[in-house]
Amino acid sequence: MTTFSKTLLVAALTIGGVFSWTSAVAQPKAEVAEQQLFQAINRERAANGLPPLKWDEALANAARQHAETMAAQKSISHGFPGELSLPSRATRAGALFSWLSENVAAGPNTENINEQWMQSPNHRANLLDADMDTIGAGAAERNGVVFAVADFSKAKH
């Protein structure tokens, strides 16, 4: 191997390591936001005399993918052209459910997003639906904006 080839290899490994490190740093921030949403939703349910929702990793994966799509589109929506529907996204992720609902929002932080959901009659109804027993939350950040998705389900056991 020539000296030039070795230099290119070292540079490629170094750059790859930087990108891997950047991805690893970004991921925990989204995971923290997801857990903050989960905890805030369960606090709201407790304040309204409802049992807590259980975390479902399959729903979280579906929600996370949709949050990333919203961040890439720089828009909030329950679906974008060419994207699977909520039931199809949840099924593809491996969730087992008899009923689903979804909240989407974007804001500067999770506290703001939770406030938005509680002030919206439809989102509040999803969050406080006594028939739902599981949740998966997803978050993605783009330019200081948090894009959030909460997928609620009545799980099939």
Side-chain angles (χ1 to χ4, degrees):
M1 184 178 272
T2 67
T3 303
F4 179 73
S5 296
K6 288 179 186 175
T7 303
L8 283 178
L9 178 60
V10 169
L13 291 172
T14 302
I15 291 169
V18 169
F19 285 121
S20 296
W21 180 81
T22 302
S23 298
V25 170
Q27 186 60 28
K29 187 175 181 180
E31 289 175 8
V32 167
E34 293 165 3
Q35 287 303 305
Q36 288 173 340
L37 290 168
F38 175 60
Q39 291 165 4
I41 288 166
N42 275 334
R43 277 194 304 274
E44 297 290 355
R45 289 178 63 87
N48 285 275
L50 296 168
L53 297 170
K54 295 179 191 114
W55 184 261
D56 183 288
E57 192 60 32
L59 280 178
N61 287 333
R64 196 172 293 124
Q65 288 176 337
H66 187 59
E68 290 169 0
T69 299
M70 291 192 318
Q73 296 287 329
K74 300 181 209 167
S75 179
I76 59 171
S77 177
H78 291 284
F80 294 96
E83 185 183 31
L84 295 173
S85 67
L86 170 59
S88 296
R89 290 191 310 258
T91 299
R92 178 180 269 179
L96 302 174
F97 56 89
S98 56
W99 185 248
L100 286 171
S101 64
E102 180 176 67
N103 285 1
V104 297
N109 54 51
T110 57
E111 295 83 13
N112 175 272
I113 289 166
N114 189 58
E115 287 174 23
Q116 289 180 54
W117 287 342
M118 290 306 291
Q119 292 173 5
S120 162
N122 291 338
H123 291 103
R124 181 183 176 91
N126 286 344
L127 200 143
L128 299 177
D129 187 338
D131 290 330
M132 298 300 186
D133 57 13
T134 56
I135 184 174
E141 188 270 335
R142 182 179 180 116
N143 298 326
V145 176
V146 177
F147 291 84
V149 177
D151 287 343
F152 305 92
S153 81
K154 174 69 174 173
K156 275 188 186 176
H157 300 285

